[in-house]
Amino acid sequence: MEDMLFNALNYGAIGSVLFFLILVIISRTKIFEAVRDEEGQFRKGIAPKGIFGLSLMLGFFVGIIWWSNASFAQIVENPDFYLLWWNAFLTFMVIHIFDLVVIDLMLIVWWHPKFLNLPDTDYYTKVRPHVQGFIKGIPLGAVLSMVISLLYLAF
C-alpha cells in the first residue's frame, strides 16, 4: 500500500505539471472556446479543433495512468487488477484534485487574472460549478482507470 501511494503521488505530481502545461497550450490555441461557451457549458456541436483538444486531454490521462501502472508493476511483482486499478485511480485523483484546487479554484475563480481574458460568468467566478465538475469527473476517472488497468494486464 505504501508503494502504491508513493507511486500514485509521484506520477500524479508529474501528471499535474504536464496537465497544467497542456491547459496552457490549449488556452493559447483557443481550443477552449471551441469546446465551452462563456457559461462554461460544453457546446452542442464541438468543432474539429475542440475534438482534437479533448482527444489530447484524454490521451494525456491514458498515457500518464499507463505510465503509472507500468512503474507500479516494476515495484510490485505481478500486481493483480485491483492493485493496478487502485494505483491508476489514485494517480488520476491526484491530478483531478490538483485541477480543482490549484487551477480551477485558486487560479480561475479566486485570482481570476486579467491576462486570461476570462468572462465574468458564474463558471469563471464561482466555486460551485467546479466542485460539481470535480464530482462528475470521479466516475469518469474510475472507469478510465479500470479500462487502462484491464488493457495493461492484457498486454
Side-chain angles (χ1 to χ4, degrees), residues 7-142:
N7 190 70
L9 287 172
N10 187 32
Y11 284 90
I14 293 167
S16 295
V17 170
L18 294 174
F19 185 66
F20 180 76
L21 293 174
I22 288 171
L23 289 178
V24 168
I25 292 167
I26 286 175
S27 75
R28 292 293 167 208
T29 58
K30 306 290 186 206
I31 290 175
F32 277 137
E33 288 83 0
V35 176
R36 292 187 183 268
D37 61 18
E38 281 195 356
E39 298 297 323
Q41 301 300 318
F42 284 103
R43 296 186 186 278
K44 295 211 189 274
I46 299 177
K49 185 181 202 180
I51 292 170
F52 173 75
L54 290 173
S55 300
L56 180 67
M57 291 182 75
L58 179 64
F60 159 76
F61 277 106
V62 169
I64 197 72
I65 291 171
W66 185 280
W67 189 26
S68 177
N69 271 353
S71 174
F72 182 65
Q74 290 177 347
I75 298 168
V76 175
E77 190 174 325
N78 296 325
D80 63 9
F81 167 75
Y82 297 106
L83 286 175
L84 286 172
W85 180 82
W86 271 112
N87 176 72
F89 185 65
L90 287 173
T91 302
F92 171 84
M93 286 304 295
V94 169
I95 300 167
H96 199 44
I97 290 168
F98 173 84
D99 178 50
L100 172 68
V101 174
V102 175
I103 298 171
D104 291 349
L105 300 183
M106 294 175 77
L107 179 65
I108 293 174
V109 175
W110 295 333
W111 183 18
H112 200 76
K114 298 286 185 220
F115 67 86
L116 289 180
N117 298 320
L118 300 171
D120 285 329
T121 61
D122 282 352
Y123 183 77
Y124 296 99
T125 59
K126 302 244 190 289
V127 171
R128 184 182 180 111
H130 298 282
V131 172
Q132 289 172 332
F134 175 81
I135 292 167
K136 288 179 184 177
I138 294 172
L140 173 69

